[in-house]
Amino acid sequence: MNSAVIVLLAGAIYLAMYFSYGKSLQSKVVKADPNRPTPAHRLYDGVDYVPAHPLVLYGHHFASIAGAGPIVGPAIAMAWGWLPGLLWVWFGNVFIGAVHDYLALMSSVRYDGKSVQWIAGKLMSRKTGVAFEVYIWFALLLVVAAFVAVTAKLLTVTPQAATATLLFLLVAVILGYLMYKVRLDFKLATIIGIVLLIAAVWIGLKYPLVFVDGQTDTTSAAYTTAYHYWNIILMIYIIIAASLPVWILLQPRDYLNAYILWFGLIFGGIAFIFLAKDFTAPAYTTWSAYVVTGIGEGGSSVPVASPFWPTIPLIIACGSLSGFHSLVGSGTTSKQLDNEIHGLMVGYGGMFTEGFLSTIVITAIAVYGVQLTGLQPEQWATEYITKGGLGTFLGGYAKAVSEFYGVSETFGKTFATLWVSAFTLTSLDTATRLGRFAWQELFSMVTDTSKGIAKILTNKWVASIIIAGIGTYLAWGAGYKVIWPAFSAMNQMLASIAMMTAALWVAKVQQAGKWSWAVIIPALFLWITVTAAIIWYLIYVPMVGQYLIAVKGALVVSLFLNLLLAWDFWVAWKRPSEEYAASAA
């Protein structure tokens, strides 16, 4: 197999399914109406409800849902070989991930931009909404922990990208001011933003941000010190960014992120197509490769033999499907959708774009992984987990663009790292913002009995500090490979519950008939798979100290809530459709 075949095949699959399966969902399930006013117009408030240009919103949505997910997960899953992960990405994208994202977005649009947990409470029961809210807060906590760990490592080992990333945030604020306050022509503002973005990358190459000499060596004390510095900086950043109006940073930054994304995909995609490099990594290693990592005595990492089923959703999250996307779609994106017709491009198309990104990641490692890790194919099942991963993708991407375009590998790696860090920062502050919403909604329920406590706990700064502080604490002493499976477990379970909520909406409210099975079948398959994966994780993956309490504790809570929510779904599913007439939107 070679890189050209895989990249072209992926593009063909996604285009064909978008214009066939996606368009059918739009017309037969959602029944999108371009003349129906969206919440962004009906409930405009200038802070959260703000209609956005479809390309701006596409950029925000994609940047928020992507984060490091479509890169880190497939990069770790390469221990099973390139073929199992690729098939999970493609099939998961088409039949679960894109359907989940589009329906979460559009059901929220029909309910005034309400969250997926609010919709679950309305369609099932109030108890369901409360349980879902608790589950979501724990899931978002692990999102923050995982992405703080990933981003801190990236900016420590690639200081050129650290400079470029901080400048990129400044550029986004400038662009937001030009677009929303100066009211500069949209195209002119875009050109200025892109020019400044290019300048940020150039300055980053010239002036790398180094906290401690020798910090790029991940085995050194200097690395640990710089990593901790970035933990603190990121915590402060997400607390502030999550509380700002969306037009100041979120919308303009994510609009620019869309250009980084497309440039990165096209830049790398063309290189892999025309280089047509043969894959050197094995297509398949073994059913139970060493993929999931725990923590042993003394804080050492302990790789565990992990059966592909059911543990694959513990590794590949966002690249194939992700429950976090339902929170973004129903939490921020639905409040900014200008027209219902734009929903397919934003929600459905955003998920396909993420799958194509994961395809590029798998291709880069499949081509250059053996060279970069020094491992022979027969060693991958047991040793790739310690020598491969996110850095293998960054190195592989850099080598491909260097070979094809003649640029330096340093430039290629800096751009690839900026690409990843820009998305992880977006996911971090979006997760913190959504975690704040969930926390505030939970404690607003005790307002009648404890007004003083509720006022303090629901303060936006307090709510943001709590989730950002605990998430950073979890990332402080653990590598991303340890936190990642636990985050993915809660994330994927969230996806199955969101799909069940969507199935109720589609079958009972939208009355989509046989198309309802396009939602309920993948939802049940995912629920069974992830439930089995969480049970496996709790039994077989070692954890000690605060991670035993925090990580496994969160998963135990999630497992209990998951069973409760599944029962509520079953009870609601058996109710006649007539009872849902009042829920129609």
Side-chain angles (χ1 to χ4, degrees):
M1 186 56 66
N2 71 57
S3 58
V5 173
I6 293 298
V7 173
L8 291 172
L9 182 59
I13 290 172
Y14 289 133
L15 284 173
M17 295 306 293
Y18 180 90
F19 288 104
S20 57
Y21 200 57
K23 290 290 185 179
S24 294
L25 289 171
Q26 183 183 55
S27 61
K28 297 177 181 178
V29 175
V30 172
K31 302 170 187 174
D33 181 358
N35 298 314
R36 182 187 283 115
T38 63
H41 291 282
R42 289 188 291 103
L43 304 173
Y44 176 85
D45 64 3
V47 178
D48 294 315
Y49 290 86
V50 180
H53 188 284
L55 288 178
V56 174
L57 188 57
Y58 170 86
H60 153 67
H61 183 77
F62 179 82
S64 296
I65 66 173
I71 298 172
V72 174
I76 298 174
M78 285 293 291
W80 282 302
W82 60 262
L83 184 58
L86 187 63
L87 292 177
W88 182 259
V89 166
W90 286 354
F91 281 96
N93 251 202
V94 170
F95 297 110
I96 307 179
V99 177
H100 163 279
D101 288 19
Y102 181 47
L103 295 182
L105 168 61
M106 296 310 297
S107 60
S108 176
V109 168
R110 297 290 173 81
Y111 287 104
D112 291 341
K114 298 290 189 181
S115 64
V116 66
Q117 59 269 33
W118 185 94
I119 297 171
K122 184 172 181 64
L123 298 180
M124 298 184 207
S125 69
R126 186 175 182 276
K127 176 190 67 177
T128 305
V130 174
F132 206 171
E133 201 82 70
V134 174
Y135 183 95
I136 283 171
W137 191 86
F138 277 102
L140 289 169
L141 173 64
L142 290 181
V143 171
V144 172
F147 285 2
V148 165
V150 170
T151 311
K153 178 176 182 178
L154 281 172
L155 300 182
T156 299
V157 300
T158 313
Q160 296 89 347
T163 303
T165 298
L166 294 179
L167 290 174
F168 170 57
L169 296 177
L170 177 60
V171 170
V173 172
I174 293 171
L175 180 62
Y177 181 78
L178 293 176
M179 292 174 67
Y180 292 100
K181 290 299 180 181
V182 178
R183 300 288 181 180
L184 194 64
D185 177 75
F186 183 78
K187 292 181 180 178
L188 179 58
T190 298
I191 292 171
I192 292 172
I194 293 174
V195 170
L196 291 175
L197 180 59
I198 294 170
V201 176
W202 181 83
I203 293 172
L205 288 170
K206 294 291 184 180
Y207 304 100
L209 178 57
V210 178
F211 286 129
V212 186
D213 289 339
Q215 69 180 46
T216 57
D217 178 3
T218 57
T219 62
S220 67
Y223 166 81
T224 303
T225 300
Y227 173 82
H228 287 160
Y229 284 160
W230 277 114
N231 272 223
I232 295 169
I233 292 170
L234 291 170
M235 180 182 69
I236 295 171
Y237 162 76
I238 59 178
I239 290 170
I240 296 173
S243 302
L244 293 173
V246 294
W247 66 267
I248 293 179
L249 177 63
L250 186 147
Q251 284 188 352
R253 178 200 56 200
D254 296 346
Y255 175 54
L256 288 176
N257 269 342
Y259 285 95
I260 297 176
L261 158 73
W262 282 109
F263 179 77
L265 288 178
I266 294 171
F267 198 55
I270 289 174
F272 283 114
I273 289 171
F274 286 98
L275 286 173
K277 303 278 284 189
D278 289 334
F279 286 5
T280 59
Y284 174 76
T285 57
T286 182
W287 181 256
S288 295
Y290 285 79
V291 182
V292 177
T293 302
I295 297 181
E297 295 298 331
S300 60
S301 297
V302 181
V304 180
S306 314
F308 182 78
W309 193 95
T311 65
I312 180 60
L314 301 183
I315 302 302
I316 298 183
C318 305
S320 179
L321 55 112
S322 169
F324 177 61
H325 298 187
S326 68
L327 306 186
V328 175
S330 67
T332 58
T333 306
S334 63
K335 297 176 178 66
Q336 301 173 59
L337 192 70
D338 183 49
N339 189 298
E340 284 196 357
I341 297 300
H342 300 161
L344 188 69
M345 179 187 77
V346 174
Y348 198 79
M351 187 65 236
F352 274 11
T353 310
E354 192 172 280
F356 189 73
L357 171 56
S358 290
T359 302
I360 295 293
V361 172
I362 292 170
T363 300
I365 299 175
V367 170
Y368 295 101
V370 169
Q371 177 185 350
L372 291 168
T373 62
L375 298 173
Q376 293 304 307
E378 60 271 15
Q379 298 174 294
W380 274 52
T382 55
E383 298 184 38
Y384 176 83
I385 187 62
T386 59
K387 296 186 178 181
L390 178 58
T392 316
F393 159 67
L394 298 175
Y397 185 92
K399 283 185 174 297
V401 299
S402 176
E403 286 183 27
F404 186 71
Y405 298 104
V407 299
S408 69
E409 285 191 25
T410 301
F411 169 82
K413 191 171 183 180
T414 299
F415 174 75
T417 304
L418 172 63
W419 189 9
V420 179
S421 65
F423 292 142
T424 56
L425 286 174
T426 299
S427 292
L428 268 173
D429 64 61
T430 300
T432 306
R433 184 183 292 263
L434 294 173
R436 168 167 62 84
F437 291 161
W439 183 271
Q440 289 171 322
E441 288 178 13
L442 276 173
F443 283 95
S444 66
M445 299 174 188
V446 301
T447 301
D448 294 337
T449 56
S450 305
K451 291 184 178 180
I453 295 175
K455 184 176 181 180
I456 294 172
L457 291 176
T458 57
N459 176 275
K460 69 178 181 179
W461 295 105
V462 173
S464 297
I465 288 170
I466 289 172
I467 191 169
I470 298 175
T472 303
Y473 172 73
L474 290 175
W476 190 265
Y480 72 91
K481 291 180 183 177
V482 173
I483 300 173
W484 195 262
F487 145 70
S488 294
M490 295 196 71
N491 185 34
Q492 304 298 70
M493 184 56 71
L494 175 59
S496 72
I497 297 169
M499 283 283 278
M500 290 177 181
T501 302
L504 277 176
W505 180 67
V506 168
K508 305 294 186 177
V509 178
Q510 295 296 99
Q511 298 185 2
K514 64 181 181 180
W515 274 93
S516 302
W517 294 105
V519 186
I520 188 60
I521 291 175
L524 292 176
F525 167 75
L526 186 61
W527 186 88
I528 292 169
T529 299
V530 184
T531 299
I534 291 176
I535 294 172
W536 176 89
Y537 186 95
L538 291 172
I539 294 173
Y540 292 105
V541 179
M543 285 283 165
V544 297
Q546 72 266 35
Y547 300 103
L548 174 63
I549 298 171
V551 176
K552 286 204 171 182
L555 289 180
V556 168
V557 171
S558 75
L559 188 60
F560 170 76
L561 293 173
N562 156 54
L563 296 172
L564 175 63
L565 291 165
W567 172 255
D568 287 348
F569 165 78
W570 172 245
V571 171
W573 184 263
K574 291 192 297 181
R575 285 160 49 192
S577 297
E578 291 75 16
E579 293 186 23
Y580 289 88
S583 296

